[in-house]
Amino acid sequence: MPVRAKLAAAWTSVMFLYIYVDYFQLFTPGYVDEILAGRIHTYDIGQTFVVIGVTVVAIPSLMVLFSTTLPARVNRATNLVVATLYVPVSVYNAVGESWTWFFGLTIGLEVLILAFVLRSAWTWPRRTPSPATGAISLDDEPLRAAQRA
């Protein structure tokens, strides 16, 4: 399987976890009351809070796109940097939480997937021979001849 597809699948998995963790968190006692009171933990719910939340979710969703479209060298570096930055972001989500089994499991899964991203990007072949041309390519996918209609 091409590295690009593995990375896109991993970032998609991270996004599903983000969505479902936030959804299931609504079932924790008092959480909806906090939302209705305009606060989550120690943070006031306002435009700044929501913009930060959207940014935290938008970056991994953009990584799905970037993993499939960026040139290999830039793609590799981008995945290494973003996954490295998101490990502490995932761990931070457990701060102050009382449901340790729930957050331990979900954050553990997020960190495992991010470790997979880091490993896949780190071990991405720098150059691979293309069976179509016998040449060396900077990407992990061989060049294909143009298709005729």
Side-chain angles (χ1 to χ4, degrees), residues 8-127:
W11 285 111
T12 302
S13 296
V14 168
M15 289 307 307
F16 273 115
L17 276 171
Y18 278 3
I19 291 166
Y20 280 109
V21 168
D22 286 347
Y23 175 75
F24 286 122
Q25 191 173 14
L26 293 172
F27 296 102
T28 60
Y31 195 77
V32 173
D33 294 332
E34 284 186 50
I35 293 171
L36 293 174
R39 295 184 65 79
I40 294 180
H41 304 295
T42 60
Y43 305 106
D44 289 329
I45 298 174
Q47 186 166 300
T48 303
F49 178 84
V50 176
V51 167
I52 291 170
V54 167
T55 303
V56 167
V57 174
I59 291 171
S61 62
L62 287 171
M63 289 306 296
V64 175
L65 174 67
F66 293 160
S67 294
T68 59
T69 58
L70 289 175
R73 186 173 297 179
V74 176
N75 198 335
R76 179 179 187 266
T78 303
N79 273 280
L80 288 170
V81 168
V82 174
T84 300
L85 293 173
Y86 264 76
V87 169
V89 168
S90 291
V91 172
Y92 176 77
N93 288 326
V95 173
E97 294 296 342
S98 61
W99 284 40
T100 53
W101 288 102
F102 172 70
F103 286 100
L105 173 64
T106 58
I107 290 167
L109 290 170
E110 288 172 11
V111 170
L112 280 174
I113 295 169
L114 292 168
F116 175 80
V117 169
L118 289 168
R119 183 181 177 281
S120 296
W122 185 260
T123 60
W124 190 327
R126 302 220 187 224
R127 295 180 181 270

